[in-house]
Amino acid sequence: MRDAIDPTVAALLAWPEDRVVVQTRDGSWTAGELRGAAARVAASLRALGVTAGDRVGVEAAPSAEVVAVLLGARALGCLVLPLEPRRARVLARQFRLAVSVVDGPTGPNEVSPAQLLAHPTSARLRAVAAPLAWSICTSGTTGTPKGVVLGSAGITEMIANVQQVMDYRASDRVLSALPLHHVYGLSQLWVCLATGATLVLPPSPLLVGDLERWLDGITVWPAIPSTVRALVAARSCRRPRLITLSGQATPARDRQQLVTHFATTRFLQFYGSTEAFRVLWTTHDELVAEPEATGRPTPGMTAWLDANDELVVEGPNVALGYLDEPELTRAKFPRRGQFATGDLFRRRGELFCYRGRADGVFKSFGEKVIPEVIERALAAHPGVEACVVVPELDARSGELRPLARVVLRDATCSSAELVAFLRPQLPSILVPRIALVEALPTTSSGKQLRGRG
């Protein structure tokens, strides 16, 4: 396969000079300004001895300067790793980076965005062809974060495929408070550059009190379930024409609140992972008719269930594999463009319905327990704000039993009430012990961390 120019850099080179590409709390950057900044970054990295194929990590704060660093490193042909700020230095050691771009005091093999942007170059931005483009770290909910490698050619196809569903427009202003080190957030940059839409980067996480100000004039909002209720609370803001939902499944009651409040807004729900980006999609109307539906394959993708009901997907939205993990790559990517998701599904016509993580399943008295089945039943109770189900060792029987950690929305709700609510819905073996907690631990991308009880 021929090496491909990074599609984000190629798209930026085609933008009109004075078009606003990125807006942050500190102001707006036009295409001309961003091209100049990315060119200075590329020149600075080159002066440091960085060449095409080298690994460059970037502490991915939501800023135009970071966008310039990401694009400048890609223009040089580097494999770019956007890093979660609080783990940037740990990940830099794990993935043996040639250079880390970090905010604040720098050490060996580290440089700040300001230092890179200070290069006195008048050179125009150019892009070097390189097959490997980005390595995006997984959230680490199941262990040590892994670097998922994406290629330039695959990103080009992926953008074209999801755009058939989303229909971003050059007139759109896309509000993305999603982390740039996460594929859902970073992809907003990719798609905006490809379509001519303006990317609006508020502080991340976006403060609820600032939401109405940031939503003024916004036409597209990519959201995760934890931000849905904040959007509904911002009642005076202009209605976006499109809201996309991804991450963990959005509870039905929250989706209904969105639809009631934003009656003229189009809703799309996506399923995917860092390894297989936006591989299923569905509309809200379909979710009303089939509440358990997760979606159908996005254009260009195929999907099926293996003998154990694990979802396997194939197509250009699938990554190339894991960085420095050849054995794991062979296990999870059986062949090029194919990925075994580790998620259990069932079919309802052309739609796939998510059941739970295959690696979260455990046996209790010989019966298979899928924690997400219990979580969905609990989430339907009006007094439940959030919950997570984990296995807990029962001292008397020596068997694993389900334990539900629950954050209440209604303080008057009791554990006994929740158990009584679940009994008619679930087999007795699936009715969990309830532990009321004040909060559930989550990753920076909003995913709930799991562990044993």
Side-chain angles (χ1 to χ4, degrees):
M1 183 181 70
R2 289 182 58 193
D3 291 356
I5 296 292
D6 186 273
T8 57
V9 179
L12 177 62
L13 290 169
W15 275 57
E17 188 82 5
D18 59 351
R19 280 287 304 279
V20 173
V21 180
V22 179
Q23 180 183 338
T24 71
R25 62 181 172 184
D26 299 320
S28 301
W29 283 38
T30 65
E33 291 169 333
L34 190 54
R35 283 195 289 262
R40 294 196 301 275
V41 168
S44 293
L45 291 173
R46 194 179 295 110
L48 292 171
V50 177
T51 61
D54 284 346
R55 302 176 183 182
V56 174
V58 182
E59 189 175 311
S63 71
E65 289 83 359
V66 164
V67 171
V69 172
L70 293 171
L71 295 177
R74 280 301 305 131
L76 196 57
C78 299
L79 177 63
V80 179
L81 289 82
L83 304 176
E84 182 182 354
R86 67 184 176 89
R87 296 192 295 179
R89 286 178 166 86
V90 172
L91 294 171
R93 291 192 296 271
Q94 177 182 337
F95 294 113
R96 304 192 305 278
L97 304 182
V99 171
S100 293
V101 184
V102 298
D103 192 17
T106 58
N109 297 323
E110 294 179 341
V111 65
S112 72
Q115 290 170 312
L116 293 182
L117 289 165
H119 196 283
T121 183
S122 59
R124 299 181 65 181
L125 181 64
R126 301 181 185 278
V128 173
L132 303 183
W134 307 84
S135 180
I136 303 175
C137 297
T138 61
S139 59
T141 54
T142 58
T144 303
K146 300 178 285 292
V148 177
V149 179
L150 306 173
S152 296
I155 290 174
T156 300
E157 291 188 67
M158 180 274 292
I159 292 171
N161 290 342
V162 299
Q163 174 63 0
Q164 291 182 55
V165 175
M166 296 190 305
D167 186 31
Y168 278 26
R169 304 167 186 172
S171 58
D172 278 330
R173 287 169 48 80
V174 180
L175 179 69
S176 181
L178 306 165
L180 286 173
H181 60 81
H182 188 275
V183 69
Y184 190 27
L186 184 61
S187 69
Q188 303 307 317
L189 171 63
W190 299 341
V191 180
C192 284
L193 285 169
T195 60
T198 297
L199 179 65
V200 181
L201 291 176
S204 182
L206 179 60
L207 297 177
V208 174
D210 292 336
L211 188 58
E212 292 191 28
R213 175 173 66 87
W214 280 101
L215 278 169
D216 184 37
I218 292 299
T219 58
V220 177
W221 192 25
I224 57 176
S226 60
T227 61
V228 165
R229 284 190 292 277
L231 179 59
V232 173
R235 295 186 177 277
S236 64
C237 69
R238 175 181 170 183
R239 298 334 189 219
R241 72 169 186 85
L242 172 65
I243 293 176
T244 65
L245 300 171
S246 192
Q248 291 173 320
T250 306
R253 67 183 176 213
D254 290 339
R255 291 200 311 267
Q256 189 56 52
Q257 281 185 319
L258 274 173
V259 172
T260 300
H261 186 56
F262 295 95
T264 61
T265 295
R266 178 175 176 241
F267 292 88
L268 297 175
Q269 177 174 286
F270 288 95
Y271 160 87
S273 64
T274 310
E275 297 91 339
F277 176 68
R278 295 197 189 185
V279 292
L280 301 179
W281 74 283
T282 188
T283 66
H284 180 266
D285 289 344
E286 290 171 326
L287 288 171
V288 170
E290 182 52 78
E292 295 185 1
T294 303
R296 64 176 58 76
T298 51
M301 297 297 299
T302 57
W304 63 93
L305 302 181
D306 70 7
N308 297 314
D309 291 335
E310 179 181 354
L311 182 72
V312 182
V313 296
E314 185 169 22
N317 296 21
V318 172
L320 299 177
Y322 296 114
L323 189 61
D324 302 330
E325 296 273 7
E327 292 185 7
L328 185 59
T329 295
R330 285 191 290 271
K332 296 294 290 181
F333 299 82
R335 67 184 188 189
R336 190 178 184 88
Q338 190 178 104
F339 178 65
T341 65
D343 288 336
L344 303 176
F345 280 76
R346 62 169 170 262
R347 293 290 297 265
R348 291 277 179 89
E350 68 170 0
L351 297 174
F352 290 86
C353 303
Y354 176 77
R355 299 184 67 201
R357 285 289 302 171
D359 56 13
V361 172
F362 62 94
K363 289 288 188 73
S364 181
F365 295 95
E367 297 293 326
K368 184 165 67 175
V369 178
I370 303 176
E372 285 92 335
V373 171
I374 306 171
E375 290 166 3
R376 285 193 290 273
L378 262 175
H381 190 285
V384 173
E385 175 74 18
C387 62
V388 64
V389 173
V390 297
E392 175 186 51
L393 184 64
D394 182 75
R396 289 187 298 176
S397 66
E399 292 278 348
L400 293 175
R401 297 293 301 269
L403 165 69
R405 299 189 177 105
V406 178
V407 178
L408 292 179
R409 180 178 297 183
D410 178 0
T412 65
C413 184
S414 67
S415 299
E417 179 182 340
L418 295 178
V419 169
F421 174 76
L422 292 175
R423 287 197 187 282
Q425 304 180 59
L426 299 173
S428 59
I429 197 67
L430 297 186
V431 176
R433 184 174 76 83
I434 304 292
L436 302 180
V437 297
E438 293 187 359
L440 298 175
T442 62
T443 68
S444 60
S445 59
K447 291 185 178 179
Q448 292 171 358
L449 290 170
R450 296 181 178 275
R452 288 181 177 262

